[in-house]
Amino acid sequence: MLSTRKTVVFDEGIVLTTGERIAPVTVAYETFGTLNKRKDNAILIVHALTGDSHCAGYYGAADAKPGWWDPLIGPGKAFDTRKYFIICSNDLGGCQGTTGPSSINPATGARYNLSFPVITIRDIVNVQKKLLDHLGIERLLSISGGSMGGMNVLDWAVAYPERVSSVIPVSTCGRLSPQGIAFSEVQRQAIIRDPKWHGGNYDPDDPPADGLAVARMIGHITYLSSESMHLKFGRRKRKAAEPEAKFDEKFEIESYLQYQGSRFVERFDANSYLYLTKAMDFYDIGEGCETFEEGAARMQCKALFIAFRSDWLFTPRETGELVDALRKAGRDVEFHEIESAYGHDAFLVEYPKYAYLLERFLERVHRFYNR
Amino acid sequence: MLSTRKTVVFDEGIVLTTGERIAPVTVAYETFGTLNKRKDNAILIVHALTGDSHCAGYYGAADAKPGWWDPLIGPGKAFDTRKYFIICSNDLGGCQGTTGPSSINPATGARYNLSFPVITIRDIVNVQKKLLDHLGIERLLSISGGSMGGMNVLDWAVAYPERVSSVIPVSTCGRLSPQGIAFSEVQRQAIIRDPKWHGGNYDPDDPPADGLAVARMIGHITYLSSESMHLKFGRRKRKAAEPEAKFDEKFEIESYLQYQGSRFVERFDANSYLYLTKAMDFYDIGEGCETFEEGAARMQCKALFIAFRSDWLFTPRETGELVDALRKAGRDVEFHEIESAYGHDAFLVEYPKYAYLLERFLERVHRFYNR
């Protein structure tokens, strides 16, 4: 399946939850399948922290890899593009086509950097809403995404219940645990304490690459699990290509993390990492309500929750906390905790274990709204 | 109880397992209680990664805090100084009185830094053995320590069974998990990638403080548990004293980690951190044997193992793996997995939950050898 990244510019921009305005706002997005005449077959896919609009397909024959959720999206797949119209955009605050701290501020002609306003998950949702308005989509059949994308999915259902028929939040929760916040914070500290960060005003050609690489390495530990590291790397050692700090032997897990760290630096903006992790940490479905349960109960649509047993960043227990609150409020909620050793990464790996659940759920929702 | 740090210099130094020699070797140590005439009441206490010889007591009235295992060591305590003679020294490779990379190399008149040879747990043990020879102690009634100190305890029992009557390894295991290695590695990377590290040749007055602080923050996440962070910090927020990277609100867990990071930099040497974490990562009780079990079975003395349920850095499961191997080999082993929310830190917190076990075990060992 081929894909093309499209771009739309909203000159009027967006007013944030803080009252500040960002204008213009550019949104990068991709679509798959066809919007039907009744415009009731649209599904929004939302990416995780460092993802982008390229959720499926190939840009061209030269691509080594397809989009990040390709095994789920396409003709005959769970998000069946013969039936559904799939939309995925890059988040506000990101760095892959949508306006973010690395964009040029038209008022100054320079990059926003830290003059970019603080954003929340709700602001990211509101930009997606603008895109849907632009595409003429009044109501979504479903919204799905994993991790921080899953928080985004939840917030859609809370903020705009009249526009959402169902949600499929994957590997996510209603509020990040203190341990999750702690991991976000050391990742931010690794970036901020890199002297090349220069208070956010780094040279784009000489960014705080070491800080960002260390942040990514920490991130990767939280995406795997102790179990998957045992299975994949164990305590296997290899000679280091060049001795590092005089230690000439290293463990395979060390090489893996270093490789992930260096690759990430080529594609991600350090300031975006700060803004987006903050948005994730501050997200709380109970915000502004008396209790977490009350906040959760504002979600009214049908929901399919997926969590993976060895995920210790967004644990099944935390997903379950949310599911319990929804069931107590009488909502139509399916919840599957899936056996997997892959930790948080499972939602990007264990497709055969959950694709059929998505397919079945979407058919049920589709039938329900087309009775 | 008052304590004084003593120092002994071994001019001939030590030949390492790699064949290299470090000379001289200075060892900082403290002792508590009195060695009896039969010299059979000596107990060696071994510190964890960033600990020191000051395991108990106060240096003077001005001290805010006593030594790191003070609730366990003293008159009437588990390691009863009315009965036992307690010795604790700073590890080879450390930076608190014993020779390490921040020591002056007499051959050059400059700090060793990365010219300091790579060391192993066995080398650390051998320096402790030199200290015991110096003190005229032929045989230890027991050795105890937690975390990396516990690995040191295990290695004593394997290397010098004729000199050890019993061991009490706490919160430890026979080999670090791949996840543990991964955490060590990102901590090292945070240090090495700090430009002030300068290939190890940093200015002692301007060390890689940011890298070391980030390393310590990562370390602290692994010492706590998700549960203890929920209990201690939750998602409570506070205004930041000064906005950091423009985010003027922060979570309490963030302040806690930052505080721990900055305090650590005042007392610890960055190169020591690299050498000691490498020694910990490479330690494997099965090294040189066909199997892990065969390696473990070389331990012959009585043993009391303590592990804490929420410890996810040195898990009770990994302690159990070692205990199983010892029991299969017919060894006299006690193992207690203790309920606690404190994670790896539990061995420095949950004294009432395990002090009595140490006391009872030591009495049993003492009686056995004095029948």
Side-chain angles (χ1 to χ4, degrees):
Chain A
M1 189 170 63
L2 278 173
S3 179
T4 316
R5 193 165 90 174
K6 285 159 268 197
T7 289
V8 56
V9 181
F10 300 105
D11 287 326
E12 74 287 10
I14 187 157
V15 178
L16 301 171
T17 46
T18 55
E20 289 177 272
R21 180 185 290 273
I22 309 177
V25 165
T26 301
V27 179
Y29 68 101
E30 299 178 31
T31 63
F32 308 84
T34 313
L35 188 62
N36 63 16
K37 283 194 181 147
R38 291 166 59 179
K39 297 189 177 182
D40 65 1
N41 69 334
I43 298 176
L44 178 68
I45 301 292
V46 188
H47 66 72
L49 179 63
T50 64
D52 54 29
S53 63
H54 192 42
C55 65
Y58 293 83
Y59 288 139
D63 285 10
K65 276 183 170 181
W68 54 269
W69 235 5
D70 188 80
L72 294 183
I73 302 165
K77 298 181 183 175
F79 296 108
D80 192 340
T81 49
R82 297 171 310 191
K83 292 191 217 167
Y84 307 121
F85 179 59
I86 309 292
I87 309 125
C88 182
S89 62
N90 184 217
D91 282 359
L92 176 70
C95 52
Q96 279 144 133
T98 294
T99 301
S102 61
S103 302
I104 300 298
N105 178 355
T108 64
R111 287 157 65 106
Y112 281 101
N113 294 336
L114 290 207
S115 74
F116 198 77
V118 171
I119 57 166
T120 62
I121 295 288
R122 178 63 52 87
D123 297 321
I124 295 171
V125 164
N126 284 339
V127 169
Q128 290 159 351
K129 184 162 148 280
K130 265 191 119 61
L131 173 65
L132 296 181
D133 292 343
H134 166 75
L135 297 173
I137 296 163
E138 182 56 36
R139 191 180 175 94
L140 290 162
L141 179 68
S142 200
I143 318 181
S144 186
S147 193
M148 179 172 156
M151 291 176 157
N152 195 319
V153 170
L154 300 175
D155 199 48
W156 254 105
V158 165
Y160 305 108
E162 72 287 0
R163 298 189 66 165
V164 185
S165 297
S166 76
V167 290
I168 309 177
V170 181
S171 305
T172 198
C173 63
R175 55 184 171 193
L176 197 60
S177 70
Q179 192 181 60
I181 296 169
F183 277 118
S184 292
E185 172 63 5
V186 290
Q187 291 174 58
R188 285 189 294 265
Q189 288 293 323
I191 292 168
I192 292 175
R193 288 168 184 256
D194 184 329
K196 288 191 175 171
W197 182 64
H198 287 303
N201 294 316
Y202 41 86
D203 175 355
D205 295 324
D206 189 20
D210 285 308
L212 190 57
V214 169
R216 183 63 167 178
M217 291 172 72
I218 299 168
H220 263 279
I221 297 179
T222 67
Y223 306 152
L224 301 177
S225 75
S226 181
E227 207 174 334
S228 66
M229 288 193 193
H230 267 296
L231 294 170
K232 200 166 171 184
F233 307 104
R235 287 180 48 95
R236 283 192 303 277
K237 284 172 248 179
R238 51 160 75 176
K239 284 266 164 239
E242 43 185 309
E244 187 165 69
K246 98 171 282 166
F247 303 102
D248 59 359
E249 213 181 19
K250 62 196 319 179
F251 291 92
E252 285 184 10
I253 177 66
E254 299 175 300
S255 310
Y256 171 82
L257 292 174
Q258 286 188 27
Y259 174 75
Q260 295 296 338
S262 2
R263 267 193 37 192
F264 185 61
V265 167
E266 297 157 18
R267 71 173 178 89
F268 214 82
D269 174 60
N271 286 336
S272 273
Y273 206 83
L274 303 179
Y275 280 86
L276 293 175
T277 54
K278 271 288 181 183
M280 177 171 73
D281 291 359
F282 277 103
Y283 177 70
D284 183 347
I285 201 169
E287 182 91 47
C289 297
E290 284 289 309
T291 61
F292 178 82
E293 286 70 23
E294 196 184 306
R298 294 176 299 172
M299 276 183 64
Q300 290 170 23
C301 65
K302 294 179 190 306
L304 165 63
F305 284 87
I306 309 273
F308 296 89
R309 192 189 43 75
S310 59
D311 185 343
W312 60 287
L313 187 60
F314 291 80
T315 67
R317 190 169 156 179
E318 283 157 331
T319 309
E321 180 194 22
L322 185 53
V323 168
D324 286 348
L326 290 168
R327 286 185 174 155
K328 221 190 273 178
R331 305 290 176 262
D332 176 0
V333 177
E334 252 187 79
F335 174 34
H336 299 269
E337 181 179 338
I338 294 171
E339 269 306 311
S340 170
Y342 283 96
H344 189 55
D345 263 353
F347 84 95
L348 298 168
V349 182
E350 297 274 33
Y351 303 110
K353 291 192 180 169
Y354 77 102
Y356 72 100
L357 295 170
L358 308 185
E359 198 179 326
R360 195 178 66 184
F361 176 78
L362 287 171
E363 271 165 20
R364 179 159 77 86
V365 173
H366 203 222
R367 246 190 344 262
F368 180 85
Y369 283 98
N370 290 283
R371 298 180 285 212
Chain B
M1 189 170 63
L2 279 174
S3 179
T4 316
R5 193 165 91 174
K6 286 159 267 195
T7 287
V8 57
V9 182
F10 300 105
D11 287 327
E12 75 286 10
I14 187 158
V15 177
L16 302 170
T17 46
T18 55
E20 288 178 272
R21 180 186 292 272
I22 309 175
V25 165
T26 301
V27 179
Y29 68 100
E30 300 179 31
T31 63
F32 307 85
T34 313
L35 187 62
N36 64 13
K37 282 194 183 149
R38 291 167 58 180
K39 299 188 174 182
D40 65 1
N41 69 333
I43 298 176
L44 179 67
I45 302 293
V46 187
H47 66 71
L49 180 62
T50 64
D52 55 28
S53 62
H54 191 43
C55 64
Y58 293 83
Y59 288 140
D63 285 9
K65 276 182 170 182
W68 53 269
W69 235 5
D70 188 81
L72 293 182
I73 302 166
K77 297 180 184 175
F79 295 108
D80 192 340
T81 49
R82 296 170 312 192
K83 289 191 218 167
Y84 307 121
F85 179 59
I86 310 292
I87 309 125
C88 183
S89 62
N90 184 217
D91 281 0
L92 176 70
C95 52
Q96 279 146 131
T98 294
T99 300
S102 60
S103 302
I104 299 299
N105 178 354
T108 63
R111 287 158 63 108
Y112 279 102
N113 295 335
L114 290 207
S115 74
F116 198 76
V118 173
I119 57 166
T120 61
I121 296 288
R122 178 64 52 87
D123 296 322
I124 295 171
V125 163
N126 284 339
V127 169
Q128 290 160 351
K129 184 162 149 278
K130 264 191 119 60
L131 173 65
L132 296 181
D133 291 342
H134 165 76
L135 297 173
I137 297 163
E138 182 56 36
R139 192 179 176 95
L140 290 161
L141 180 67
S142 200
I143 317 182
S144 186
S147 194
M148 179 173 155
M151 290 176 157
N152 195 319
V153 169
L154 299 174
D155 198 48
W156 254 104
V158 165
Y160 305 108
E162 72 287 1
R163 297 189 65 165
V164 185
S165 297
S166 76
V167 290
I168 309 177
V170 181
S171 303
T172 198
C173 64
R175 54 185 173 193
L176 197 60
S177 70
Q179 192 182 60
I181 295 169
F183 278 117
S184 293
E185 173 63 5
V186 291
Q187 292 175 58
R188 284 188 295 264
Q189 287 293 323
I191 293 169
I192 291 175
R193 287 169 183 256
D194 184 329
K196 287 191 176 173
W197 182 65
H198 286 304
N201 294 316
Y202 42 86
D203 175 354
D205 296 324
D206 190 20
D210 285 309
L212 191 57
V214 169
R216 182 64 166 178
M217 290 172 72
I218 300 167
H220 264 278
I221 298 179
T222 66
Y223 306 151
L224 302 177
S225 75
S226 181
E227 206 175 336
S228 67
M229 287 192 193
H230 266 296
L231 295 170
K232 199 167 171 183
F233 306 104
R235 286 180 50 95
R236 284 192 304 276
K237 285 172 248 181
R238 50 158 75 175
K239 284 264 166 242
E242 43 185 311
E244 187 164 69
K246 98 171 283 165
F247 303 102
D248 59 359
E249 213 182 18
K250 63 197 317 181
F251 291 93
E252 285 185 10
I253 177 67
E254 299 176 300
S255 310
Y256 170 82
L257 291 175
Q258 286 189 27
Y259 174 74
Q260 296 296 338
S262 4
R263 267 194 36 193
F264 184 62
V265 167
E266 298 157 15
R267 72 172 177 88
F268 214 82
D269 175 59
N271 287 335
S272 273
Y273 207 83
L274 303 179
Y275 279 87
L276 293 175
T277 54
K278 270 288 182 182
M280 178 171 72
D281 291 359
F282 276 104
Y283 176 70
D284 183 346
I285 202 169
E287 181 93 45
C289 296
E290 283 290 310
T291 61
F292 178 81
E293 287 70 23
E294 196 185 306
R298 294 176 298 172
M299 276 183 64
Q300 291 172 22
C301 65
K302 295 178 189 306
L304 165 63
F305 284 87
I306 309 272
F308 296 90
R309 192 189 44 75
S310 59
D311 186 343
W312 58 288
L313 187 60
F314 291 81
T315 66
R317 189 168 157 180
E318 283 156 332
T319 309
E321 180 194 22
L322 185 53
V323 167
D324 287 347
L326 289 168
R327 285 184 174 154
K328 221 191 271 178
R331 305 289 177 260
D332 177 0
V333 177
E334 253 187 78
F335 175 34
H336 299 268
E337 182 179 338
I338 294 170
E339 268 306 311
S340 169
Y342 283 96
H344 190 55
D345 263 355
F347 84 96
L348 298 167
V349 182
E350 297 274 34
Y351 302 111
K353 290 192 181 168
Y354 76 103
Y356 72 99
L357 295 170
L358 308 186
E359 198 179 327
R360 194 179 65 182
F361 176 77
L362 287 171
E363 271 165 20
R364 178 159 77 87
V365 173
H366 202 222
R367 248 194 337 268
F368 179 83
Y369 284 97
N370 289 282
R371 294 180 290 209

